């Protein structure tokens, strides 16, 4: 540009010189020379003015280049993050789709799937929206209708905490994926632990908030990085400890919070409030001559559950308190059963094994083939299908205790239960009977049978049972309730109430 402008200027000057030679110098020379000089001077002045302006433009362009580089770096970081996410998910989905039930059988996998689809994929969508990708966004928008909701993610988190309570697992073991029968460890990140704590906090469950915020803090102190700060964790932790009644520790944690974030106004207000409460507590203790909480110690415990047999039920789920004695074991046998000479079973009798003596519980082997199991599962999937993350069935009776039940008039009460196990379960998932201390474990292709009623038609209250939450694995069951009608000759009435 500059060379072109200079050439134009030289042409103008040469033309002007030729003009001077052609004119009468005696009359026009002084004036034209002055005009010429003024013209050249003005031209140079505009030129230098342009250079001065362009120096500003150079720095402006430098800033633009810097901004462009920052944009490119940001875009590369986004693409790198998206690529890393895609590669990680490619490997993860390869593993998960090769054995969906086995993968989801690990409760941490199930929780993280909920979290990914409800939270992290939406973050990725926001990231990609900053860099146009119409096809991906269109596909994501279509698929989003199938994504889990906030309620689903929260439910999965609560299920993980239910497993923690039932099987008495510490947060660190769960976070590191150290569960019974698990080969591949699946870990929870510091952000995962923090989200679990927040779910508990929003539910008013300060016990689990404390457990998971402590785990978050532990992982932060071990050097793990994430999107959460130490101050954020301490904020939740200090308040939860206060809610659990441990004023002294709440004060210590609040001081740590202020040290981590000196500008945290609520923390300073809380510290004053906690100190005042502690002083009042000391005064009350002195007046009543009662030992302070410092000497007594504060014990953290899960929320009170008023279910009467909760402790017994959960102990049986853990394999504790099972009342299988050597004497009882000697009364249990295996046999081939032909259904009292049933023609269909004479050639191929069924394998029967005693699981419990009184009430009598038996297990039948090879009652469902793999093909039959898959067919039942296909039919069940669109409905209520199998036990989900931490899925359980609280203690209940299979027989009806309502005398005017509509079904009783047509079919009679539920005389017996025939329960098919359609999958093996790596850990947990037992069927337990709290009243007499039995635990029956799932075995694929088998079925267990017991009577719910005495021969008199009265309910056998010992058969109250529950399904323990699945810790690792996937539990599929189907059942058949055998009603009284039509069984009169196969199981005649007894002469006493408990026959």
């Amino acid at each position: 540009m500059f060379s072109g402008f200079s050439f134009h200027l030289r042409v103008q000057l040469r033309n002007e010189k030729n003009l001077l030679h052609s004119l009468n110098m005696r009359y026009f020379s002084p004036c034209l020379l002055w005009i010429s000089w003024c013209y050249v001077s003005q031209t140079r002045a505009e030129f230098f003015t342009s250079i001065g302006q362009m120096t500003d433009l150079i720095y402006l362009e430098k800033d633009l280049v810097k901004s462009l580089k920052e944009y490119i770096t940001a875009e590369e970081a986004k693409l790198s993050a998206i690529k890393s996410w895609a590669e990680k998910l490619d490997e993860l989905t390869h593993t998960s789709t090769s054995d969906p039930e086995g993968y989801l059988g690990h409760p941490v996998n199930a929780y993280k799937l909920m979290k990914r689809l409800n939270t992290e994929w939406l973050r990725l969508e926001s990231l990609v929206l900053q860099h146009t990708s119409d096809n991906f966004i269109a596909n994501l928008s279509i698929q989003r209708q199938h994504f889990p909701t906030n309620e689903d993610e929260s439910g999965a988190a609560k299920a993980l905490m239910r497993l923690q309570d039932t099987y008495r697992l510490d947060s660190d073991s769960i976070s590191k994926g150290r569960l019974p029968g698990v080969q591949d460890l699946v870990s929870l990140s510091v952000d995962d632990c923090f989200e679990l704590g927040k779910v508990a906090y929003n539910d008013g469950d300060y016990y689990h908030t404390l457990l998971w915020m402590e785990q978050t803090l532990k992982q932060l102190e071990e050097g793990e990085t994430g999107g959460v700060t130490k101050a954020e964790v301490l904020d939740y932790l200090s308040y939860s400890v206060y809610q659990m009644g441990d004023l002294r520790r709440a004060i210590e944690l609040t001081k740590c919070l202020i040290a981590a974030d000196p500008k945290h106004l609520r923390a300073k207000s809380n510290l004053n409030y906690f100190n005042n409460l502690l002083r009042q507590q000391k005064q009350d203790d002195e007046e009543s001559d009662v030992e302070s909480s410092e000497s007594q110690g504060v014990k953290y415990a899960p929320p009170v559950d008023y279910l009467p047999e909760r402790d017994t039920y959960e102990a049986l789920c853990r394999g504790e308190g099972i009342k299988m004695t050597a004497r009882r074991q000697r009364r249990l046998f295996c046999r081939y059963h032909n259904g009292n000479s049933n023609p269909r079973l004479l050639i191929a009798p069924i394998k029967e094994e005693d699981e419990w003596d009184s009430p009598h519980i038996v297990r039948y082997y090879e009652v469902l083939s793999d093909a039959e199991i898959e067919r039942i599962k296909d039919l069940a999937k669109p409905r209520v299908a199998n036990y989900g993350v931490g899925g359980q069935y609280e203690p209940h009776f299979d027989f009806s205790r309502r005398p005017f039940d509509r079904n009783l008039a047509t079919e009679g009460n539920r005389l017996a239960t025939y329960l098919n196990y359609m999958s093996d379960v790596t850990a947990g998932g037992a069927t337990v009977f709290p009243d007499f201390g039995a635990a029956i474990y799932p075995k694929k292709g088998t079925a267990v049978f017991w009577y719910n009623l005495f021969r008199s038609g009265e309910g056998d209250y010992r058969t109250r049972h529950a399904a323990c939450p699945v810790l690792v694995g996937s539990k599929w069951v189907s059942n058949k309730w055998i009603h009284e009608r039509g069984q009169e000759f196969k199981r005649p009435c007894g002469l006493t109430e408990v026959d």
Side-chain angles (χ1 to χ4, degrees):
M1 181 178 67
F2 299 129
S3 60
F5 180 79
S6 301
F7 172 75
H8 173 73
L9 181 57
R10 288 196 298 272
V11 170
Q12 292 295 326
L13 290 173
R14 185 168 59 248
N15 290 342
E16 186 180 37
K17 182 180 180 181
N18 294 336
L19 178 62
L20 287 173
H21 281 291
S22 63
L23 293 174
N24 187 337
M25 296 295 293
R26 290 177 299 175
Y27 303 103
F28 299 103
S29 176
C31 182
L32 288 175
L33 285 174
W34 180 82
I35 292 173
S36 176
W37 178 248
C38 290
Y39 179 79
V40 173
S41 298
Q42 287 176 354
T43 303
R44 287 182 177 176
E46 290 176 0
F47 174 76
F48 285 118
T49 302
S50 297
I51 293 294
Q53 291 173 348
M54 287 184 181
T55 56
D56 291 339
L57 293 178
I58 287 174
Y59 288 107
L60 185 149
E61 187 178 44
K62 183 180 181 181
D63 289 339
L64 288 175
V65 171
K66 181 183 178 183
S67 298
L68 180 61
K69 287 184 175 180
E70 290 174 351
Y71 169 76
I72 292 171
T73 301
E75 287 298 314
E76 287 176 342
K78 291 176 191 175
L79 289 174
S80 177
I82 294 170
K83 182 180 179 182
S84 174
W85 172 263
E87 290 174 348
K88 181 181 71 173
L89 264 293
D90 185 49
E91 181 179 352
L92 186 61
T93 53
H94 177 74
T95 302
S96 62
T97 54
S98 63
D99 181 15
E101 289 191 15
Y103 177 83
L104 292 175
H106 196 302
V108 171
N109 277 335
Y111 165 69
K112 295 189 78 168
L113 176 65
M114 292 291 184
K115 184 173 183 292
R116 277 199 308 275
L117 289 175
N118 181 57
T119 304
E120 297 178 14
W121 273 98
L122 297 184
R123 290 176 185 167
L124 181 66
E125 179 183 6
S126 299
L127 183 64
V128 174
L129 277 173
Q130 298 173 26
H131 184 76
T132 308
S133 182
D134 294 339
N135 291 336
F136 173 75
I137 296 303
N139 186 41
L140 188 59
S141 299
I142 292 171
Q143 297 299 337
R144 192 192 302 171
Q145 61 182 320
H146 304 298
F147 284 6
T149 63
N150 288 335
E151 184 178 357
D152 294 322
E153 182 180 343
S154 176
K158 292 175 184 177
L160 204 55
M161 289 180 262
R162 184 163 63 246
L163 291 174
Q164 181 177 18
D165 292 343
T166 301
Y167 296 102
R168 293 185 179 175
L169 303 170
D170 62 273
S171 302
D172 193 58
S173 293
I174 296 176
S175 180
K176 291 181 171 55
R178 294 194 298 261
L179 300 179
V182 172
Q183 298 293 330
D184 299 323
L185 301 184
V186 183
S187 62
L188 290 170
S189 68
V190 67
D191 292 330
D192 292 332
C193 295
F194 183 66
E195 289 299 325
L196 283 168
K198 282 176 62 178
V199 168
Y201 180 86
N202 292 334
D203 207 38
D205 179 1
Y206 299 110
Y207 170 73
H208 287 106
T209 304
L210 184 146
L211 293 181
W212 286 103
M213 289 303 172
E214 283 183 333
Q215 182 61 30
T216 306
L217 194 61
K218 178 178 182 292
Q219 292 183 205
L220 282 173
E221 290 174 346
E222 289 174 348
E224 185 179 339
T225 58
V228 60
T229 65
K230 185 177 180 180
E232 289 177 294
V233 179
L234 287 168
D235 193 8
Y236 281 96
L237 187 56
S238 58
Y239 186 74
S240 298
V241 168
Y242 157 68
Q243 287 288 347
M244 296 294 288
D246 193 345
L247 269 176
R248 294 182 182 278
R249 191 173 176 223
I251 290 171
E252 292 174 3
L253 290 168
T254 306
K255 288 178 180 178
C256 292
L257 170 56
I258 294 172
D261 183 5
K263 296 182 181 179
H264 201 294
L265 298 178
R266 188 174 65 254
K268 296 177 181 178
S269 175
N270 285 349
L271 184 61
N272 291 332
Y273 178 70
F274 295 158
N275 280 321
N276 288 335
L277 283 179
L278 185 61
R279 281 192 292 270
Q280 184 63 46
Q281 187 182 78
K282 286 182 177 179
Q283 183 178 344
D284 293 343
D285 289 343
E286 290 172 358
E287 291 176 357
S288 59
D289 293 328
V290 176
E291 292 183 352
S292 67
S293 60
E294 181 180 20
S295 59
Q296 290 178 340
V298 177
K299 295 182 179 179
Y300 301 128
V304 176
D305 194 321
Y306 293 98
L307 190 66
E309 66 266 64
R310 167 65 62 182
D311 290 341
T312 304
Y313 155 53
E314 291 190 347
L316 288 170
C317 290
R318 295 190 297 271
E320 302 169 7
I322 297 175
K323 299 177 182 177
M324 176 57 70
T325 63
R327 182 180 178 183
R328 171 173 279 126
Q329 185 70 52
R330 288 194 294 270
R331 294 199 293 265
L332 305 180
F333 298 94
C334 297
R335 64 189 70 85
Y336 283 103
H337 182 67
N338 60 19
N340 296 324
S341 301
N342 186 314
R344 295 182 180 181
L345 297 176
L346 284 175
I347 298 175
I350 195 168
K351 298 174 182 177
E352 182 182 85
E353 178 184 18
D354 294 329
E355 287 280 354
W356 206 261
D357 56 346
S358 181
H360 195 202
I361 303 175
V362 297
R363 186 190 298 267
Y364 297 106
Y365 287 83
E366 300 172 7
V367 294
L368 284 177
S369 67
D370 288 347
E372 289 170 328
I373 287 173
E374 291 307 312
R375 178 59 179 158
I376 294 172
K377 287 164 67 174
D378 288 340
L379 291 171
K381 280 177 183 177
R383 303 172 177 85
V384 177
N386 77 327
Y387 290 87
V389 187
Q392 63 181 20
Y393 207 117
E394 296 287 351
H396 63 284
F397 299 103
D398 277 357
F399 62 87
S400 176
R401 293 173 291 163
R402 294 174 293 175
F404 300 105
D405 191 301
R406 184 176 60 184
N407 291 327
L408 293 181
T410 56
E411 297 181 335
N413 209 340
R414 293 170 179 169
L415 173 67
T417 295
Y418 184 86
L419 181 64
N420 287 304
Y421 291 117
M422 302 192 296
S423 64
D424 292 314
V425 177
T426 305
T431 303
V432 297
F433 296 79
D435 183 81
F436 52 90
I440 313 297
Y441 294 94
K443 293 180 184 178
K444 185 178 180 180
T446 70
V448 292
F449 174 91
W450 68 86
Y451 284 106
N452 297 306
L453 306 179
F454 292 112
R455 287 183 178 271
S456 63
E458 294 296 321
D460 186 347
Y461 282 79
R462 298 173 300 170
T463 61
R464 184 173 173 84
H465 61 285
C468 296
V470 177
L471 180 58
V472 179
S474 178
K475 183 180 178 182
W476 284 86
V477 299
S478 61
N479 70 307
K480 170 68 178 176
W481 284 309
I482 302 171
H483 291 262
E484 290 176 297
R485 299 292 183 264
Q487 307 301 323
E488 294 87 350
F489 298 105
K490 294 182 181 179
R491 195 184 190 231
C493 291
L495 298 178
T496 67
E497 185 174 312
V498 294
D499 279 346

